[in-house]
Amino acid sequence: MADIIRLLPDHVANQIAAGEVVQRPASVVKELLENAIDAQATEIKLIVKEAGKTLIHVIDNGFGMSETDARLSFERHATSKIKAAEDLFNLNTKGFRGEALASIAAIAHVELQTKKEAVELGTRIKIEGSTVVSQEVVTTPTGTSIAVKNLFYNIPARRNFLKSDTVELRHIIDEFQRVALAHSDIAFVLYHNGNELFNLPKSNIRQRIVNILGGKTNEKLVPVTEDTDIVKINGFVGKPEFAKKSRNEQFFFVNNRFIKSPYLHHAINAAFEGLLKEKMQPSYFIYLDVNPETIDINIHPTKTEIKFDDEHSLYAMLRATVKHSLGQFNIAPVLDFDRDSNLDTPYDYKNKQAAIPKIQVDSSFNPFADEKRISGNTTTAPRYQNYKKESTEGWESLYVGLESSSNNTTRFSGESIEFESEEVTSSLFANDEPRETLTYQLHRKYLVSSIKSGIVIIDQHRAHQRVLYEQLLKNITVSEAVSQQLLFPVTFSFSTSEIALLKEVKESLENIGFMFSNITDDTIELSGIPSNISESELQIIIEQMLNDFQGEIPDTGFSQTDVLVKSLAKSMAIRTGKKLEIAEQEALVNNLFACKEPMVSPFQKTIFITLSVDDLDKKFI
């Protein structure tokens, strides 16, 4: 039998490896930025075209590479970061596997220019699909410039799976922000299609956070700091009143490397226990410095997961540190808010005995005694001198002249009163049937309504979602949206990425009834809102909409509008636990069955179920 196992060619092996390392353009951005940081660059420029599908260009002023190093950098498992297996547990660099450039070069056109400071000329290398096209000597500044063009040009299936430019750009911005937040001592610039999105100068951590997320972020931050033998904790957490439903502003950095850790995230939530509303997420920017020998980074290809030697101690320290900071800066409530100093007991009263209170009693006072006039030789009069007892005789005269009827007369005799009225002959249980209640609210969650065949049980939240969804969709597609003008425009602060997202869906929002008077880099100003939205719920609705759009913005206008309307319907619908009056219950039921699709919600979930009389009878067998 012939042998069937064979070695794969290098270019095929590189493409397979690229599937793990390079998942989308943002993966290339991450690897190239981290290489620039490992090269000790102080200024890094990122240029992107068409969300990285056409060009990803990173320019840095690091120490550069020699001609030999430049050629070897594109070989698999070629790296300057480690030399032995023991170095994996003492890493102080971003990269260490030596796979990134080889994987990128296998699926794109790459052009590298680099020069060390000690030499006059640099090196230019062009590679297409792992094949070196040219290598020559060029004049270039100190540092490295690497351009990745036509990503996935030789893997069309992978290129077809990429999302829209808006979504891919958002992933690039996320990776850019993570790297920039981890290294505030490095200047970063980001350009997309010739437009400058970020220009971040060298600064401290707090200023870097403000430069990325907007000027309004500064007032939201509470500093967190702690230094122990196990870990050094530094960073900021957001105040509870600025918590959001999304997790866009949650960052963990271990030794200046962005990580994801549900375990440490739970520690932050435990510190905020009792301070946040339901389903709200705190913002945090936590920097952990630990001994590199106590962590393992080589777990996941993206290097965003880390194993700690002592997770339990780290959890307890992080939770206690955050809780201490919230209390230290008067964020967490305490028992005595404003203590009145007048209520304090003076120190000189400490050893004194309590005095017995003196009670004075007027022994001559008799509340039942008759009033006596005060005269020269009379006894002392009672306490109430001006009290005068009125006579009650002749009170019957108040009723003289009242008309009397044969059916209902009143007769007075002496002090007795006698009523003569018509005898009640009607029954307490009248033959008239009581009015049947159309609906009944059960546990403030379901509406129970009677129908000819039995009863119908309706989920009030999903029912209102369906009603709002069809109403909003009709306002956009059929009729002109109704907008209510605000007496005073309202302003909301958002991050740069959220502002970019709002600009993408601005036209659809205006079709619903939103009116934008001004949009800046970190704020929006609204002068009008849809008539069925209250101003108090406006910020919650916009944040929920942004959270729903984080995953994908459809390219077509109708699909974009559909996603937007679904998000608004979900935010505006009545919640479980809200008590509805009888009229509100009946209106919701009637509006639901007037919809085109009353069976399911906009998210394809069942709205109501029916129980026939036969079903009920079977329960009593």
Side-chain angles (χ1 to χ4, degrees):
M1 185 176 179
D3 298 332
I4 59 175
I5 296 178
R6 63 180 62 88
L7 290 174
L8 292 174
D10 289 342
H11 69 280
V12 177
N14 287 337
Q15 288 187 9
I16 295 173
E20 290 290 333
V21 179
V22 183
Q23 300 175 356
R24 60 193 337 145
S27 304
V28 178
V29 170
K30 174 181 180 293
E31 299 293 343
L32 297 183
L33 290 179
E34 289 182 348
N35 283 344
I37 292 171
D38 288 340
Q40 300 178 7
T42 59
E43 295 179 0
I44 301 176
K45 183 183 295 184
L46 173 61
I47 302 172
V48 179
K49 289 185 178 179
E50 295 182 6
K53 299 175 183 177
T54 302
L55 173 67
I56 299 174
H57 194 185
V58 175
I59 305 170
D60 68 70
N61 63 346
F63 49 66
M65 292 182 286
S66 64
E67 182 179 357
T68 304
D69 288 344
R71 183 64 178 268
L72 281 176
S73 64
F74 290 98
E75 298 294 331
R76 289 189 66 196
H77 308 302
T79 180
S80 62
K81 314 299 173 59
I82 62 174
K83 297 180 181 179
E86 292 76 13
D87 295 338
L88 288 172
F89 300 97
N90 191 20
L91 291 172
N92 294 301
T93 58
K94 301 293 183 183
F96 54 87
R97 295 196 183 110
E99 292 181 334
L101 289 181
S103 300
I104 294 171
I107 55 175
H109 298 162
V110 180
E111 179 178 335
L112 171 70
Q113 295 187 76
T114 182
K115 184 182 83 71
K116 296 181 72 68
E117 187 177 3
V119 298
E120 294 182 358
L121 297 176
T123 303
R124 175 192 290 166
I125 299 177
K126 291 185 178 181
I127 300 178
E128 295 180 1
S130 298
T131 303
V132 178
V133 177
S134 66
Q135 179 175 341
E136 56 187 353
V137 178
V138 295
T139 301
T140 183
T142 301
T144 302
S145 170
I146 180 169
V148 179
K149 305 175 183 178
N150 304 322
L151 190 64
F152 299 125
Y153 80 99
N154 53 354
I155 311 179
R158 178 65 67 89
R159 190 176 180 89
N160 291 335
F161 278 118
L162 294 178
K163 303 294 184 179
S164 63
D165 287 357
T166 305
V167 175
E168 295 298 339
L169 177 61
R170 191 176 315 117
H171 285 288
I172 291 176
I173 291 176
D174 288 342
E175 293 293 347
F176 177 83
Q177 290 179 350
R178 292 167 183 173
V179 175
L181 285 171
H183 299 275
S184 58
D185 57 338
I186 300 177
F188 290 89
V189 182
L190 171 59
Y191 292 93
H192 179 250
N193 292 341
N195 299 321
E196 182 181 277
L197 300 184
F198 291 94
N199 190 344
L200 309 175
K202 298 179 183 179
S203 61
N204 55 33
I205 295 176
R206 188 179 193 122
Q207 190 61 43
R208 176 57 57 88
I209 295 173
V210 172
N211 289 337
I212 290 178
L213 299 181
K216 299 293 184 180
T217 310
N218 189 37
E219 64 186 40
K220 306 176 184 178
L221 301 179
V222 178
V224 175
T225 179
E226 187 62 52
D227 193 354
T228 66
D229 295 336
I230 298 177
V231 61
K232 182 179 180 181
I233 303 175
N234 189 26
F236 300 89
V237 295
K239 295 180 181 178
E241 58 265 29
F242 296 105
K244 298 181 178 180
K245 288 188 175 181
S246 63
R247 297 187 177 184
N248 298 332
E249 297 180 3
Q250 295 180 345
F251 297 89
F252 276 119
F253 300 95
V254 175
N255 296 349
N256 290 331
R257 181 192 301 275
F258 173 79
I259 69 163
K260 297 178 181 179
S261 176
Y263 188 66
L264 297 182
H265 171 74
H266 188 274
I268 300 292
N269 282 342
F272 276 88
E273 185 178 2
L275 301 177
L276 298 177
K277 297 180 181 179
E278 186 180 1
K279 297 183 180 180
M280 301 300 285
Q281 296 291 331
S283 301
Y284 55 79
F285 309 85
I286 303 297
Y287 297 78
L288 307 175
D289 290 335
V290 300
N291 188 346
E293 297 179 356
T294 63
I295 59 176
D296 185 6
I297 304 173
N298 192 22
I299 295 176
H300 195 271
T302 59
K303 292 173 282 192
T304 57
E305 296 182 10
I306 290 181
K307 287 294 184 182
F308 298 92
D309 281 354
D310 192 357
E311 284 187 333
H312 297 289
S313 298
L314 192 60
Y315 179 98
M317 291 178 184
L318 183 59
R319 177 180 177 275
T321 301
V322 173
K323 202 161 190 175
H324 173 71
S325 295
L326 293 174
Q328 182 181 6
F329 292 92
N330 295 328
I331 303 302
V334 293
L335 291 179
D336 49 343
F337 297 94
D338 296 322
R339 185 170 50 84
D340 189 354
S341 58
N342 294 327
L343 300 179
D344 293 341
T345 303
Y347 287 107
D348 54 352
Y349 280 79
K350 179 179 179 181
N351 298 322
K352 287 187 176 182
Q353 297 294 331
I356 300 176
K358 298 179 180 180
I359 302 176
Q360 296 181 353
V361 180
D362 185 2
S363 59
S364 63
F365 173 69
N366 183 4
F368 302 102
D370 294 335
E371 177 187 6
K372 298 181 179 180
R373 297 183 179 275
I374 301 176
S375 59
N377 297 325
T378 59
T379 59
T380 304
R383 177 174 301 179
Y384 302 104
Q385 301 294 338
N386 295 327
Y387 173 77
K388 182 179 180 182
K389 185 177 181 181
E390 298 290 344
S391 175
T392 59
E393 296 180 358
W395 60 270
E396 305 92 306
S397 60
L398 294 174
Y399 296 89
V400 174
L402 291 179
E403 296 181 359
S404 60
S405 61
S406 58
N407 295 331
N408 189 4
T409 60
T410 306
R411 183 175 68 250
F412 305 100
S413 61
E415 294 183 355
S416 64
I417 305 175
E418 187 176 330
F419 292 93
E420 295 181 359
S421 60
E422 182 180 0
E423 182 181 359
V424 179
T425 58
S426 61
S427 172
L428 293 176
F429 302 96
N431 295 327
D432 297 332
E433 295 183 358
R435 177 180 177 272
E436 183 180 2
T437 303
L438 296 179
T439 60
Y440 173 76
Q441 190 177 26
L442 181 64
H443 294 299
R444 298 188 178 184
K445 183 177 182 180
Y446 300 104
L447 299 180
V448 181
S449 182
S450 60
I451 55 178
K452 291 183 179 179
S453 59
I455 59 173
V456 59
I457 303 175
I458 304 170
D459 187 310
Q460 65 182 31
H461 179 63
R462 295 180 184 178
H464 200 207
Q465 281 184 5
R466 166 55 64 179
V467 173
L468 291 173
Y469 172 75
E470 295 199 4
Q471 288 179 352
L472 292 172
L473 204 59
K474 181 180 179 181
N475 290 340
I476 297 176
T477 58
V478 179
S479 59
E480 185 176 353
V482 179
S483 178
Q484 58 178 347
Q485 296 292 318
L486 299 176
L487 184 61
F488 300 101
V490 293
T491 303
F492 300 105
S493 300
F494 296 101
S495 63
T496 305
S497 58
E498 290 173 335
I499 292 294
L501 181 59
L502 284 171
K503 289 180 180 179
E504 291 289 332
V505 298
K506 178 184 175 184
E507 183 176 355
S508 297
L509 288 173
E510 290 175 340
N511 291 335
I512 292 178
F514 288 93
M515 298 184 65
F516 295 86
S517 55
N518 188 26
I519 299 180
T520 64
D521 292 338
D522 56 358
T523 61
I524 63 169
E525 187 178 86
L526 293 173
S527 59
I529 59 176
S531 57
N532 50 1
I533 294 180
S534 63
E535 186 176 343
S536 60
E537 300 176 349
L538 192 57
Q539 184 169 4
I540 299 176
I541 291 174
I542 295 178
E543 289 179 355
Q544 179 65 50
M545 179 197 65
L546 291 173
N547 189 34
D548 292 337
F549 268 114
Q550 289 297 326
E552 173 70 32
I553 297 183
D555 293 328
T556 60
F558 177 77
S559 298
Q560 186 180 122
T561 301
D562 185 65
V563 174
L564 179 62
V565 170
K566 285 181 179 178
S567 176
L568 291 175
K570 181 173 65 175
S571 302
M572 296 164 55
I574 55 177
R575 299 293 177 186
T576 298
K578 179 178 175 60
K579 183 180 179 181
L580 300 179
E581 301 296 335
I582 296 297
E584 294 174 325
Q585 298 173 24
E586 294 177 354
L588 180 56
V589 173
N590 294 334
N591 290 335
L592 172 64
F593 289 104
C595 293
K596 295 181 178 179
E597 295 288 342
M599 294 290 296
V600 293
S601 72
F603 303 95
Q604 303 304 311
K605 294 183 178 180
T606 303
I607 294 179
F608 66 88
I609 61 173
T610 58
L611 291 176
S612 64
V613 177
D614 293 338
D615 295 333
L616 294 175
D617 291 340
K618 292 177 182 179
K619 299 294 182 180
F620 294 92
I621 295 177

